Amino acid sequence: MPGHRPAPVEDRRPLPPRDPDQSQLRFDRSTGQWVIIAALRQDRTYKPPPDQCPLCPGPTGLTSEVPAPDYDVVVFENRFPSLSGASADKPAEMPAGDGFVFAPAYGRCEVICFSSDHTGSFAELQPPHARLVVDAWRHRTADLIAKPGIEQVFCFENRGEEIGVTLTHPHGQIYGYPYLTPRTAAMLGQAREHRMRHGGNLFADLLAREVADGSRVITRTELFTAFVPFAARWPVEVHIYPNRFVHNLVDLDENELNGFAQIYLDVLERFDRMYSAPLPYISALHQFVDTHDQADGYFHVELMSIRRSATKLKYLAASESAMDAFIGDVTPEAVAQRLRELGR
């Protein structure tokens, strides 16, 4: 059971002053998308030895981002943010006219540590501790979506050096973007078109069809469903949906929050039973707000891994990286069958 009380000490590290305009948005005319330029991230912490991990508790106030003797779950502003942490009156708008356009990269980047245990993982958390992480995600979502200039809140985790992780301590990040990200904008565009053609919600209809088909469903409870999507792009890809329409974590009730923590743990535990070594993965929480532009957004989680076998990785080479044209190496049905077999 989580039970540590906050007991912070003074952060005594020599921290350099931060420029509020240390990152930029630059508009790519060829795609109509914003690109974040954050050169300060070149100096971010890179694979420190375990005894110098900045995410472990630092009771002296000299070694850690968490100047405290211990903690259960902690959230703090990223020291090397992609977005500047400053505030704006409104989200970034698509620029009119032509020419090169840049703007301050207003927004928020936070780090969330799931546990003080350096060698642990989310899958190893006890259910009450996992629920505490969910509560932290929910709290930060509610706070960030209420801030002026924040258009989208994205909670995510990168796990494994194969994914590109440079700090092995179990942690994730939370971004408050000043614009809708390209993938979110594309999904909302598809959902809007679906509603105009068919009158229903795209995500709810996809969930209903996956449940009716059943061949890609991994596990289903009264409150949530986990499945491999019909057109999976990654060697291992699982989506988790609440069984009722909500926009984000803030909309879930107490029973659903418990149910979400439980099914999330269930899927991650199956991941870690796939091979002899822990599965590298990305976890992406797709959240929306109840506005005109995002009204069709249905909260869900997408989990994905580049491992396509016990000894092989899926590299995002020319077709995927240059053309955004994914090529699947395994069938979604086979992956779903394997993950069903790994349940307890």
Side-chain angles (χ1 to χ4, degrees), residues 93-109:
E93 298 178 343
M94 291 293 103
D98 55 13
F100 296 138
V101 175
F102 66 89
Y106 294 142
R108 180 83 173 180
C109 292

Side-chain angles (χ1 to χ4, degrees), residues 140-162:
R140 298 311 304 140
T141 297
D143 182 66
L144 290 173
I145 61 177
K147 292 185 180 299
I150 299 295
E151 186 72 4
Q152 178 179 346
V153 177
F154 178 42
C155 304
F156 64 96
E157 178 190 4
N158 299 320
R159 204 277 286 269
E161 287 194 24
E162 300 94 331

Side-chain angles (χ1 to χ4, degrees), residues 280-317:
Y281 66 80
I282 296 169
S283 172
L285 277 64
H286 290 268
Q287 302 196 89
F288 308 88
V289 292
D290 189 11
T291 61
H292 174 75
D293 290 340
Q294 301 185 41
D296 295 310
Y298 192 128
F299 167 68
H300 64 283
V301 180
E302 296 184 5
L303 294 133
M304 59 210 81
S305 177
I306 58 173
R307 182 163 294 286
R308 59 188 177 94
S309 76
T311 59
K312 299 174 183 177
L313 298 178
K314 167 70 173 181
Y315 292 101
L316 302 190

Side-chain angles (χ1 to χ4, degrees), residues 36-232:
I36 302 170
I37 306 294
L40 81 159
R41 286 179 54 77
Q42 279 282 59
D43 297 326
R44 65 187 183 273
T45 307
Y46 184 81
K47 296 184 179 180
D51 63 348
Q52 297 178 31
C53 174
L55 304 185
C56 288
T60 66
L62 292 170
T63 61
S64 173
E65 296 286 348
V66 191
D70 208 346
Y71 64 85
D72 294 310
V73 177
V74 66
V75 181
F76 55 89
E77 187 176 6
N78 196 324
R79 189 180 179 189
F80 302 95
S82 302
L83 301 164
S84 68
S87 61
D89 294 334
K90 59 183 179 179
E93 298 178 343
M94 291 293 103
D98 55 13
F100 296 138
V101 175
F102 66 89
Y106 294 142
R108 180 83 173 180
C109 292
E110 299 178 346
V111 176
I112 175 170
C113 297
F114 305 141
S115 166
S116 62
D117 180 4
H118 181 78
T119 61
S121 69
F122 199 117
E124 295 172 333
L125 299 180
Q126 293 299 310
H129 198 140
R131 169 62 197 269
L132 187 62
V133 176
V134 172
D135 286 342
W137 279 337
R138 187 171 187 254
H139 175 274
R140 298 311 304 140
T141 297
D143 182 66
L144 290 173
I145 61 177
K147 292 185 180 299
I150 299 295
E151 186 72 4
Q152 178 179 346
V153 177
F154 178 42
C155 304
F156 64 96
E157 178 190 4
N158 299 320
R159 204 277 286 269
E161 287 194 24
E162 300 94 331
I163 295 295
V165 171
T166 58
L167 288 173
T168 57
H169 193 107
H171 74 287
Q173 298 186 63
I174 304 168
Y175 277 18
Y177 290 104
Y179 58 89
L180 275 181
T181 58
R183 179 162 169 77
T184 298
M187 288 194 297
L188 288 171
Q190 289 294 108
R192 193 158 41 245
E193 183 177 342
H194 181 89
R195 175 170 44 82
M196 293 175 64
R197 287 187 174 184
H198 306 288
N201 180 270
L202 170 65
F203 302 99
D205 289 351
L206 287 174
L207 173 61
R209 290 177 181 177
E210 290 288 3
V211 171
D213 180 281
S215 65
R216 291 173 296 278
V217 173
I218 296 168
T219 184
R220 179 172 166 83
T221 69
E222 180 183 355
L223 300 173
F224 286 86
T225 302
F227 60 92
V228 178
F230 172 75

Side-chain angles (χ1 to χ4, degrees), residues 13 18 28 38 62 69 105 239 244 282 300 304:
R13 296 171 301 162
R18 281 180 44 185
D28 182 351
L62 292 170
H239 294 189
R244 75 176 180 97
I282 296 169
H300 64 283
M304 59 210 81

